Amino acid sequence: MSMDDVLRKLRPTQELQGRLSEAVQELEDRTRSSIERTGLPLQTMLVGSVAKSTYVGEPDIDLFVLFPTDTERSDLEKFGLQIGEEVLHGEVHYAEHPYTHGKFHGFEVDLVPCYRILDTTHLRSAVDRTPFHTRYVLEKLTDEKRDQVRLLKQFMKGIGVYGAEARVQGFSGYLTELLIIRYGDLASLICSAKGWRPGIIMDAEGGLKGGGEPPLTFADPVDQKRNVASALSLDRLSLFIHACQEYSVAPDDRFFFPRERPVWEIDEIERCLQTRGTSPLVVVLERPDLVDDNLYPQVQRSMYGLRKMLESYDFNVLDQCYAVGKDVRMAFELEHEPLPKGKLHQGPPAWTVNAREFVEKWRDRGLSQPFLCEGRWQVYVEREFRGAVELLLSKGKEASLGNNFRELDGIRCYSGKKAYLAGNRPVLTKMLDKRENWRV
Amino acid sequence: MSMDDVLRKLRPTQELQGRLSEAVQELEDRTRSSIERTGLPLQTMLVGSVAKSTYVGEPDIDLFVLFPTDTERSDLEKFGLQIGEEVLHGEVHYAEHPYTHGKFHGFEVDLVPCYRILDTTHLRSAVDRTPFHTRYVLEKLTDEKRDQVRLLKQFMKGIGVYGAEARVQGFSGYLTELLIIRYGDLASLICSAKGWRPGIIMDAEGGLKGGGEPPLTFADPVDQKRNVASALSLDRLSLFIHACQEYSVAPDDRFFFPRERPVWEIDEIERCLQTRGTSPLVVVLERPDLVDDNLYPQVQRSMYGLRKMLESYDFNVLDQCYAVGKDVRMAFELEHEPLPKGKLHQGPPAWTVNAREFVEKWRDRGLSQPFLCEGRWQVYVEREFRGAVELLLSKGKEASLGNNFRELDGIRCYSGKKAYLAGNRPVLTKMLDKRENWRV
């Protein structure tokens, strides 16, 4: 399939464009009516990928309601939500301030209040920048470049790095547009990105230098102090660099349209781990009622907190992974489990005041007598936790956990052969199936 | 048993003193006759513990032959050995220069040539200091202090820190004498040593301060630049400090006269390790034909070299020990053996020039596909050596080894249950029986 063929699949159909412009028209009309009822001097502005016509697939509609800068913040929130409720009958979401999310003519819609500022030095909240982004991109993008943005978005979706949300920690839509403005087309971007390293600083005008904070700094053309790539993780950036290297050598549709990744059967999972001689550990937790952008960072934090606890109790954690579904599952690959009963316990040097206390404490009570090694006391003692499951059930709450995981509600832990359960297949597959999306 | 009772057992008997003075007399006579035959202006001097009357048990006799300082080194060696041969019919040993060792009237004798220097700033070799040591100690020691030296020597023998030779790395006889000169008696020394820390600098005149090189600096009163405690290891110093602490709290004869340590039965050894869940590894090597002071450092170096190699191949070594008998045996306690088949192999970061090479090398060839973790490539690969025995038999010679162990002559290795052999009982007992001598 050529790039042109890919593009043909990505461009919106006439039918979609018709439905979309009808929906936008009616949404704006209704919003304006609602504004009139408030008696306030508010304006609407269509922003985001619909305004810029850079969407791929079914778009979300982002409609902003612009308030004068002398509006009290509480009034902005009150009237913003009032208008949202009248227009969408949707639900309230929270970012820096609340906004309304709903469905309209089958499209997902965000109706967001913001301040109509003169320039970005007068920012009152992060969303105030969005109208400037929209104007900047509309001014810079031609139709050809719009096509290239669509290609880039699909490439990034395909390889798994598209989206600034916490679940992905990848490239935002705005960043893809800026990259095309910067590089002209996907081919040129890929050619450059093959050689990127963490710490690159770039801007939309063609600047490119090293020495910045990893992973990547892309100066926002409407607000130079802001890094458009601040949500991007090192792993996503590395994957993008790698994909660009691979695509250059062997371009393939599967970068854009990867096959679905099958969930492994239990015996496949078991065989994989048994071949390595390692042990699985799966922790199942209740899924807290949080939006994804709050949930995912907490899941990650909790997973790394549990990893750290496992390591502090001598479990060598080779790999880890999580999957969010009806519940939250974290999988760990352990080098040895259970651990040997005895462990070497380090004591104080022989010449410190604590030395005698240590020796008295462990004399005839350890798995050896205390002994000196390089001037320091040591003793073999019985390990507190030989099994990872006992450890986490007993001490897990003391790990560094996300706020809504503090109590480890609903915790169940499975290690060794007990982890080979149907419900653990997705998370274990995610951990074990290391193929890139384009090689599935 | 009181200190007096201990002392009564340590003081030489009339019978021994008689035999000894007779032997010394005759040895000196014979040496002088031999000197006369050379026609050189040489003198004899009795040095060491016999001269100072500070020996415990059967003493070695040290008789020095003093050469004028204008003697050529080659002549000193030639005539020194000639006299030694005539007097002792012994064998040649090598320190800084050769000397003769033999038996005389049942006593071990060293007949050592040295230069008769005016003061220690004119040293030609390390042994030239010895006459000064003897004179210094004779001048400072009273009969009461001689008794205290005997007590201290026996205390140090008992706890296992007596002897500056490489096998022990403990306190030399001269150092024990200086310590008594410094502290007056054993009780005062013990009381001070309880609070010692590594890095203490002291001298025979009463000086004591910290901040020196660990373990201990004791300035030689006849040559301030020299550290009398240079052979002392941190482990021996720590053990001495610890013993002094323990003795203060609960004095006991067993510090002076410990019971014999029984060699454990195989089933006792096996039970100990099985309780901990750890694995033994024993390496048996041919004993090279070397004097102890050359052999022991090489054994130690080789043992630590093998330990380092084991660790670099992921074996966690908890403890190690060696025993020198008809052969040389090194025992290691391993946390896990054999290791799991798979291991995580670290690759380069995604953005380096080697990244593609790594990915191509391991694609479809490892125990997983290569994958990115924090921007770095990783892959599960098959471990080269799962067993410690295979590793050492195949790669052991590449370890950092003592010169005479370079070829690992006669190497045999036993791990796991195979290590439970009668011949391994001494070295495994030494590793596992951590009781202090006075608690056996």
Side-chain angles (χ1 to χ4, degrees):
Chain A
M1 208 191 281
S2 70
M3 283 267 198
D4 280 350
D5 294 328
V6 173
L7 208 42
R8 257 188 291 280
K9 293 180 79 169
L10 299 181
R11 286 202 193 101
T13 58
Q14 289 288 340
E15 185 273 331
L16 173 59
Q17 288 186 60
R19 269 200 299 129
L20 182 60
S21 75
E22 202 174 299
V24 168
Q25 188 65 52
E26 197 175 327
L27 189 70
E28 287 185 314
D29 288 350
R30 284 214 203 175
T31 307
R32 273 193 284 267
S33 310
S34 179
I35 285 172
E36 269 171 36
R37 282 192 289 278
T38 66
L40 296 170
L42 313 183
Q43 295 172 351
T44 64
M45 181 176 177
L46 185 68
V47 297
S49 66
V50 174
K52 296 176 278 190
S53 195
T54 54
Y55 57 89
V56 170
E58 281 275 310
D60 296 351
I61 300 170
D62 296 299
L63 187 64
F64 273 38
V65 178
L66 280 60
F67 284 69
T69 49
D70 59 0
T71 315
E72 289 287 333
R73 193 177 172 105
S74 55
D75 283 342
L76 175 139
E77 292 188 1
K78 188 180 103 185
F79 291 110
L81 291 180
Q82 182 186 306
I83 296 161
E85 173 55 23
E86 283 183 23
V87 176
L88 286 177
H89 317 294
E91 50 189 32
V92 178
H93 282 192
Y94 292 88
E96 235 179 280
H97 41 237
Y99 64 93
T100 310
H101 176 85
K103 276 262 188 185
F104 193 82
H105 287 217
F107 294 101
E108 302 280 334
V109 179
D110 284 334
L111 216 158
V112 181
C114 79
Y115 285 105
R116 189 175 61 238
I117 52 176
L118 279 173
D119 62 68
T120 55
T121 59
H122 296 89
L123 272 190
R124 305 278 292 265
S125 101
V127 292
D128 298 347
R129 272 196 213 94
T130 306
F132 292 87
H133 292 165
T134 304
R135 279 190 290 267
Y136 180 84
V137 171
L138 277 171
E139 185 189 307
K140 296 284 181 178
L141 281 190
T142 58
D143 276 350
E144 287 77 41
K145 287 192 176 165
R146 249 178 209 102
D147 277 348
Q148 294 297 321
V149 170
R150 288 196 184 95
L151 278 175
L152 174 56
K153 284 185 175 177
Q154 189 63 26
F155 181 80
M156 286 183 162
K157 278 185 185 181
I159 66 172
V161 303
Y162 184 67
E165 61 268 29
R167 190 176 59 80
V168 183
Q169 298 183 277
F171 294 78
S172 67
Y174 179 48
L175 183 51
T176 61
E177 290 154 359
L178 292 178
L179 284 167
I180 291 302
I181 292 168
R182 166 74 175 70
Y183 282 98
D185 57 26
L186 176 59
S188 306
L189 168 61
I190 286 177
C191 186
S192 171
K194 285 189 305 181
W196 285 359
R197 313 174 129 260
I200 279 179
I201 302 174
M202 59 172 106
D203 59 46
E205 310 295 317
L208 182 72
K209 60 179 180 181
E213 279 291 298
L216 176 66
T217 307
F218 198 116
D220 190 343
V222 309
D223 183 0
Q224 292 290 330
K225 292 187 305 296
R226 184 182 168 249
N227 177 15
V228 184
S230 61
L232 180 65
S233 72
L234 184 59
D235 267 335
R236 294 303 100 173
L237 174 65
S238 312
L239 180 54
F240 178 65
I241 294 172
H242 167 59
C244 290
Q245 292 170 349
E246 294 254 306
Y247 186 86
S248 304
V249 177
D252 194 301
D253 305 347
R254 284 154 76 193
F255 285 85
F256 297 92
F257 305 111
R259 295 185 202 143
E260 210 179 320
R261 199 179 282 264
V263 175
W264 288 7
E265 297 296 336
I266 282 295
D267 62 345
E268 209 171 347
I269 291 168
E270 195 169 350
R271 212 179 315 120
C272 176
L273 288 165
Q274 265 173 2
T275 306
R276 292 184 198 159
T278 54
S279 262
L281 165 69
V282 178
V283 179
V284 186
L285 296 166
E286 238 171 52
R287 178 179 178 156
D289 186 22
L290 295 170
V291 295
D292 282 1
D293 269 353
N294 291 331
L295 176 62
Y296 279 87
Q298 287 201 33
V299 173
Q300 268 175 46
R301 184 176 164 190
S302 305
M303 180 178 76
Y304 284 108
L306 294 178
R307 178 185 167 128
K308 211 162 175 185
M309 167 162 280
L310 287 164
E311 287 174 334
S312 73
Y313 281 84
D314 299 335
F315 293 95
N316 194 8
V317 181
L318 298 173
D319 200 7
Q320 68 282 313
C321 198
Y322 65 84
V324 174
K326 270 182 293 184
D327 48 31
V328 172
R329 293 191 188 227
M330 300 169 187
F332 301 90
E333 185 169 354
L334 306 178
E335 191 160 28
H336 305 279
E337 207 268 354
L339 295 172
K341 190 174 170 192
K343 64 170 274 177
L344 203 50
H345 176 51
Q346 300 290 330
W351 49 86
T352 58
V353 283
N354 314 316
R356 280 201 58 75
E357 196 185 320
F358 180 87
V359 173
E360 290 310 316
K361 176 172 176 191
W362 290 109
R363 166 107 50 224
D364 302 324
R365 289 199 194 90
L367 296 179
S368 77
Q369 295 298 347
F371 60 101
L372 285 165
C373 179
E374 293 293 309
R376 211 168 234 291
W377 285 104
Q378 297 192 325
V379 63
Y380 283 93
V381 299
E382 224 170 286
R383 195 182 285 285
E384 198 178 352
F385 297 102
R386 296 186 59 198
V389 170
E390 307 145 60
L391 166 63
L392 294 189
L393 291 181
S394 149
K395 296 271 181 186
K397 287 182 194 174
E398 296 169 23
S400 165
L401 299 166
N403 281 335
N404 294 73
F405 287 95
R406 285 273 161 75
E407 294 304 315
L408 293 177
D409 289 320
I411 189 170
R412 281 170 291 149
C413 297
Y414 307 96
S415 74
K417 288 197 177 297
K418 290 186 182 155
Y420 300 128
L421 296 171
N424 291 339
R425 285 172 57 209
V427 72
L428 288 171
T429 301
K430 212 171 150 190
M431 184 170 78
L432 297 175
D433 183 358
K434 298 293 192 187
R435 294 173 297 174
E436 298 99 324
N437 287 353
W438 60 91
R439 290 188 184 264
V440 169
Chain B
M1 209 191 282
S2 71
M3 283 267 197
D4 279 350
D5 294 328
V6 173
L7 208 43
R8 257 188 290 280
K9 296 180 77 167
L10 299 182
R11 285 201 195 105
T13 59
Q14 292 287 341
E15 183 274 331
L16 174 59
Q17 289 184 59
R19 268 201 298 131
L20 184 59
S21 74
E22 201 173 302
V24 168
Q25 190 64 53
E26 195 174 330
L27 190 67
E28 287 184 317
D29 290 348
R30 284 215 203 174
T31 307
R32 276 192 282 266
S33 312
S34 180
I35 286 173
E36 269 171 37
R37 282 190 289 280
T38 67
L40 295 171
L42 311 183
Q43 296 172 353
T44 62
M45 181 177 179
L46 185 66
V47 297
S49 64
V50 173
K52 296 176 279 189
S53 195
T54 54
Y55 56 89
V56 170
E58 281 277 308
D60 297 350
I61 301 171
D62 297 299
L63 187 64
F64 274 38
V65 177
L66 280 60
F67 285 69
T69 48
D70 59 359
T71 316
E72 290 288 332
R73 194 177 173 105
S74 54
D75 283 342
L76 176 139
E77 294 187 1
K78 190 181 98 186
F79 291 109
L81 291 179
Q82 182 187 305
I83 296 161
E85 173 54 26
E86 284 184 23
V87 176
L88 287 176
H89 317 295
E91 51 190 31
V92 179
H93 283 194
Y94 293 88
E96 237 178 280
H97 44 236
Y99 63 94
T100 310
H101 177 86
K103 276 261 188 186
F104 193 80
H105 288 215
F107 296 101
E108 302 280 334
V109 179
D110 285 334
L111 217 159
V112 180
C114 77
Y115 286 103
R116 187 175 62 240
I117 52 178
L118 279 174
D119 62 67
T120 54
T121 58
H122 297 91
L123 272 189
R124 308 276 293 265
S125 101
V127 291
D128 298 348
R129 272 195 214 95
T130 306
F132 291 87
H133 292 165
T134 303
R135 280 191 289 266
Y136 180 85
V137 171
L138 278 171
E139 183 189 310
K140 295 284 179 178
L141 281 189
T142 58
D143 275 351
E144 288 77 41
K145 287 192 177 165
R146 247 176 213 106
D147 276 350
Q148 294 298 320
V149 170
R150 288 197 183 94
L151 279 175
L152 174 56
K153 284 185 176 178
Q154 188 65 25
F155 181 79
M156 286 184 164
K157 277 184 186 180
I159 66 173
V161 304
Y162 184 68
E165 61 267 31
R167 190 176 58 81
V168 183
Q169 297 183 276
F171 294 78
S172 66
Y174 179 48
L175 183 51
T176 62
E177 291 153 359
L178 292 179
L179 284 167
I180 291 302
I181 292 168
R182 165 75 175 71
Y183 283 98
D185 57 26
L186 176 59
S188 306
L189 168 62
I190 286 177
C191 186
S192 170
K194 285 190 303 182
W196 285 359
R197 312 174 129 261
I200 279 179
I201 302 174
M202 60 171 105
D203 59 48
E205 309 295 315
L208 181 71
K209 59 180 182 182
E213 280 289 301
L216 175 66
T217 307
F218 198 116
D220 190 341
V222 308
D223 183 359
Q224 293 291 330
K225 293 187 306 295
R226 185 183 165 247
N227 178 15
V228 184
S230 61
L232 180 64
S233 72
L234 183 60
D235 267 335
R236 294 303 102 174
L237 175 65
S238 313
L239 180 55
F240 177 65
I241 294 173
H242 167 60
C244 291
Q245 293 170 349
E246 294 253 308
Y247 186 85
S248 305
V249 176
D252 194 299
D253 307 345
R254 285 154 75 194
F255 285 85
F256 298 92
F257 305 110
R259 295 187 202 141
E260 208 179 323
R261 200 179 281 265
V263 176
W264 289 8
E265 297 296 334
I266 281 295
D267 62 346
E268 208 171 347
I269 292 168
E270 193 168 352
R271 212 179 317 119
C272 176
L273 288 165
Q274 264 173 5
T275 307
R276 294 184 196 159
T278 54
S279 261
L281 165 69
V282 178
V283 179
V284 186
L285 295 166
E286 237 170 53
R287 177 179 178 157
D289 185 21
L290 295 170
V291 296
D292 283 1
D293 270 353
N294 290 330
L295 176 63
Y296 280 88
Q298 287 201 34
V299 172
Q300 268 175 46
R301 185 176 164 189
S302 305
M303 181 179 74
Y304 285 108
L306 294 179
R307 177 185 168 130
K308 211 161 177 187
M309 168 163 279
L310 287 163
E311 288 175 331
S312 73
Y313 281 84
D314 298 336
F315 293 95
N316 195 9
V317 181
L318 299 173
D319 200 6
Q320 68 282 311
C321 199
Y322 64 84
V324 174
K326 270 181 294 186
D327 47 31
V328 173
R329 295 193 188 224
M330 300 170 186
F332 301 89
E333 185 170 354
L334 306 178
E335 189 159 30
H336 305 278
E337 206 270 356
L339 295 172
K341 190 174 171 190
K343 66 170 273 178
L344 202 49
H345 176 49
Q346 301 290 330
W351 50 85
T352 56
V353 283
N354 314 317
R356 281 199 58 72
E357 197 185 319
F358 180 88
V359 173
E360 291 309 316
K361 175 173 175 191
W362 289 109
R363 167 109 48 225
D364 303 323
R365 287 196 197 94
L367 295 178
S368 77
Q369 295 298 348
F371 61 101
L372 285 165
C373 180
E374 293 293 308
R376 210 167 236 290
W377 284 105
Q378 297 192 324
V379 65
Y380 284 93
V381 298
E382 225 170 285
R383 195 181 286 284
E384 199 177 349
F385 297 102
R386 295 186 60 197
V389 171
E390 306 145 60
L391 167 62
L392 295 189
L393 291 181
S394 149
K395 297 270 181 187
K397 287 184 195 173
E398 297 169 22
S400 165
L401 299 166
N403 280 335
N404 293 72
F405 288 94
R406 284 273 160 76
E407 294 304 316
L408 294 175
D409 288 321
I411 189 170
R412 283 170 292 149
C413 297
Y414 307 96
S415 74
K417 287 196 177 298
K418 290 184 182 158
Y420 300 128
L421 296 172
N424 291 337
R425 285 172 56 208
V427 71
L428 288 171
T429 300
K430 210 172 153 192
M431 183 170 79
L432 298 175
D433 184 358
K434 298 294 190 187
R435 292 173 298 174
E436 298 100 325
N437 287 352
W438 59 92
R439 291 187 182 266
V440 169

